[in-house]
């Protein structure tokens, strides 16, 4: 194979004579891109298992810290957005290699190229589908969650392999003072620093103009994110309106909360409002990236369950008035169901819930993805 390599040297077509397509530039950008993807992958796993826990995990999921999911999902979306300019810069730095001629020089080289193809395709796919998901646009025929989740593993594997294969170059070019980097044309140094400054500025710009959707101290700069923390009834954004969910005006007199369990019972809205009310300060932390804290008033879930004769480690299934839709039915494990902060809320920021926020009653629980904060609740089933 060594002989073959010498006979077929990699030829750079004349179009790729440009500068800064070197290992030092690729390493400098690559380590930030790698860090962003690692954060995105880790927080994505947390999000996935909070939403779709395997049966054995359901009761182990912690309801604290109350702000946990707000932080991890805020990081997930922010690191994914930051990775976009980093990926573009990285692809720009390495693209002559992607078009190197001849395309395959040896079996080893062929394998390496396949892994790079998986890496590039996986990264582009994950960032594109993730970004479109934040604006709730699904222009593809498959279901977002399972495919985004599966490709994340593919990407993680391809990235690990890539780092392993490139380890010698990464190590040789980690520092700009290293002998390998110092051997690069001296004149490239200032240009490389300008390029990296530009990339950093692009990352800063996309972050600053979107991160305020979850990190509310920066909400004044949130001009590009699809949701703004201040836009929405009662000072809270709405993800799915009552109209979109097909929940028409709920009649306060006809409404019943049904609680199934060892001692089942039914409450009218007036009876529900007459039970001991508690207040929780908890965020809605939407999977799509926005989050905002609010004051909620209502009846503790654990009180409702105990009244139905449920043991203190019972899970609960929550059913909405919504007739179709993926978030009509939700289950919570024991930590959530019996956390004193978990409420069947009737009020938001001191006012009766609006239809869009789940009138007459909705779930609010700590450390939970927004999709599981079920609105328009009509039935609780002790499991
Ligand atoms: N029944 C039902 N509950 C639901 C939804 C829904 O579509 N149907 N959307 C969820 C999502 S994705 C989020 S982020 C929160 C948002 O609550 P808000 O609209 O009051 O801010 O409600 C959740 N509860
Ligand atoms: Mo959401």
């Amino acid at each position: 194979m060594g002989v073959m390599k010498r006979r077929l040297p990699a030829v750079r077509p004349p179009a790729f004579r440009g500068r800064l397509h070197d290992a030092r530039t690729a390493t400098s950008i690559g380590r930030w891109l790698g860090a962003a993807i690692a954060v995105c992958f880790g927080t994505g796993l947390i999000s996935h298992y909070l939403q779709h826990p395997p049966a054995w995990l359901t009761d182990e999921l912690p309801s604290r810290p109350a702000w946990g999911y707000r932080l991890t999902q805020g990081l997930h979306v922010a690191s994914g957005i930051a990775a976009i300019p980093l990926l573009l810069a990285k692809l720009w730095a390495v693209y002559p290699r992607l078009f190197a001629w001849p395309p395959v020089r040896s079996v080893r080289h062929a394998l390496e190229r396949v892994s790079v193809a998986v890496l590039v395709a996986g990264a582009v796919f994950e960032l594109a589908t993730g970004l479109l998901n934040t604006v709730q646009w699904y222009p593809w025929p498959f279901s977002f969650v399972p495919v985004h989740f599966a490709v994340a593993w593919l990407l993680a594997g391809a990235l690990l392999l890539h780092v392993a294969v490139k380890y010698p170059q990464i190590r040789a070019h980690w520092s700009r003072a290293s002998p390998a980097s110092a051997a690069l044309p001296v004149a490239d140094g200032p240009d490389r620093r300008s390029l990296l400054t530009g990339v950093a500025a692009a990352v800063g710009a996309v972050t600053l103009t979107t991160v305020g959707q979850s990190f509310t101290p920066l909400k004044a700069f949130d001009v590009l994110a699809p949701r703004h923390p201040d836009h929405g009834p009662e000072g809270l954004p709405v993800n799915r309106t009552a109209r979109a969910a097909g929940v028409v005006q709920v009649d306060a007199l006809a409404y019943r909360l049904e609680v199934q369990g060892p001692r089942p019972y039914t409450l009218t809205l007036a009876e529900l409002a007459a039970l001991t009310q508690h207040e929780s300060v908890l965020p809605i932390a939407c999977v799509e990236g926005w989050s905002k804290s609010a004051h909620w008033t209502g009846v503790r879930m654990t009180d409702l369950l105990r009244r139905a004769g449920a043991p203190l480690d019972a899970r609960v299934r929550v059913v909405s008035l919504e007739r179709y839709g993926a978030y009509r039915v939700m289950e919570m494990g024991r930590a959530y169901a019996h956390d004193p902060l978990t409420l069947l809320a009737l009020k938001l920021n001191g006012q009766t819930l609006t239809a869009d926020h789940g009138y007459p009653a909705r779930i609010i629980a700590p450390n939970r993805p927004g999709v599981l904060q079920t609105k328009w609740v009509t039935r609780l089933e002790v499991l």
Side-chain angles (χ1 to χ4, degrees), residues 23-24 168-186 192:
R24 167 68 193 156
Q169 282 102 312
I170 295 172
R171 207 175 62 159
H173 290 278
W174 191 259
S175 151
R176 92 165 91 108
S178 70
S181 292
L184 293 168
V186 179
R192 188 177 300 110

Side-chain angles (χ1 to χ4, degrees), residues 47 79 89 91 95 102 160 212 221 225 257 263 304 324 370:
S47 184
S79 58
L91 287 176
Y95 81 91
L160 276 182
F221 302 102
L257 174 74
R263 293 199 304 272
L304 291 167
Y324 315 99

Side-chain angles (χ1 to χ4, degrees), residues 239 286-287 371:
N239 217 50
C286 182
V287 167
V371 285

Side-chain angles (χ1 to χ4, degrees), residues 141-176:
F142 50 82
S143 166
F144 171 76
V145 174
V147 179
H148 192 72
F149 180 65
V151 177
W153 284 102
L154 213 62
L155 173 57
L159 183 58
L160 276 182
L161 190 64
H162 181 67
V163 171
V165 167
K166 295 289 180 190
Y167 183 71
Q169 282 102 312
I170 295 172
R171 207 175 62 159
H173 290 278
W174 191 259
S175 151
R176 92 165 91 108

Side-chain angles (χ1 to χ4, degrees), residues 257 282-284 296 299-301 304 316-320 330-332 336-337 341-346 353 357-358 360-366 368-380:
L257 174 74
L282 288 174
I284 291 278
W296 306 90
V299 184
R300 278 184 179 152
M301 177 61 87
L304 291 167
V316 62
R317 180 180 297 137
V318 177
V319 182
S320 169
M330 168 277 280
E331 279 181 23
M332 46 167 93
Y336 293 108
L341 289 178
T342 301
L343 303 179
L344 183 65
L346 307 180
L353 290 172
H357 283 311
R362 64 101 42 91
I363 297 295
I364 187 76
R368 269 289 274 168
V371 285
L372 302 178
Q373 310 282 25
T374 309
K375 304 196 269 194
W376 316 292
V377 170
T378 186
R379 193 165 74 238
L380 306 177

